[in-house]
């Protein structure tokens, strides 16, 4: 009896979850940078 299928599944699941978390963090970071850039833009006054 070999434990190879269990070990392969465990590694695969670990790598899959790590990939999903990394991709999610990348998208959230991009969104946060866009929001920060929008907040930090110098505002120009409109003539009244």
């Amino acid at each position: 009896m070999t434990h190879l299928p269990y070990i392969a599944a465990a590694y695969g699941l670990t790598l899959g979850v790590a990939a999903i978390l990394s991709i999610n963090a990348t998208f959230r970071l991009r969104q946060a940078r866009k929001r920060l850039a929008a907040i930090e833009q110098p505002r120009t006054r409109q003539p009244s």
Side-chain angles (χ1 to χ4, degrees):
M1 183 171 148
T2 179
H3 298 293
L4 185 60
Y6 172 78
I7 293 170
Y11 274 104
L13 184 62
T14 301
L15 292 176
V17 169
I20 290 170
L21 291 175
S22 298
I23 292 168
N24 187 23
T26 301
F27 286 134
R28 291 181 64 195
L29 181 61
R30 285 183 187 174
Q31 184 181 21
R33 284 184 177 164
K34 286 179 186 177
R35 286 169 129 216
L36 181 62
I39 292 171
E40 289 184 342
Q41 283 181 347
R43 295 183 181 175
T44 57
R45 290 188 176 194
Q46 296 179 356
S48 314

